[in-house]
Amino acid sequence: MAGLVTLMGLTGCVPFACSAIGWSNTLAVQLDGDTSAVDQVQLCTDAGCAPAEDVDMTGPLGFVSVEDQAGDSWTFSVGMMRLERFTVRTLAGDGTVLSDTEVTSEWVRVGGSEQCGGPGEATVTVQP
């Protein structure tokens, strides 16, 4: 045991435990332009689009949900995923696809730590 303490003191490496496990990242989608026909916004990857009735709830898109929708802004909880390149899909009330816009997001950590990670936020802007 004394050798372990000495080794830790010499290397400067102190073991620690990450306490904040299981956070959720937030993605805001800002619609810019005429949004009168937009009824729903989805986030799409190669695995599909979410939220949607046919999404695989056991896959990563199963964690995507709309947290808030106010005016032209849609806020999604995306679990611990940090979508970087994806498509924002806007839909009319009858399910017609109005637009598919490929975007790249830039995430900012808003909690946790560098060592353990933590919740992040990103905002993208698209035209419907």
Side-chain angles (χ1 to χ4, degrees), residues 3 10-11 17 19 28 50 52 56 64 71 74 87 90 92-93 101 103 105 114 119 123 128:
L10 292 174
T11 64
S19 61
D56 176 7
V64 175
W74 296 69
T87 299
T90 59
T101 307
V103 297
S105 59
E114 185 70 30
T123 301

Side-chain angles (χ1 to χ4, degrees), residues 27-31 35 38-44 49-52 64-66 68-69 71-76 86-92 98-99 124 126 128:
L27 175 71
V29 176
Q30 181 65 45
L31 303 180
T35 61
V38 176
D39 184 64
Q40 184 180 5
V41 174
Q42 294 178 324
L43 308 178
C44 303
C49 295
V64 175
S65 64
V66 176
D68 187 43
Q69 192 276 315
D72 298 339
S73 181
W74 296 69
T75 304
F76 294 86
F86 59 98
T87 299
V88 175
R89 174 173 284 175
T90 59
L91 301 159
L98 300 172
S99 67
V124 295
V126 299

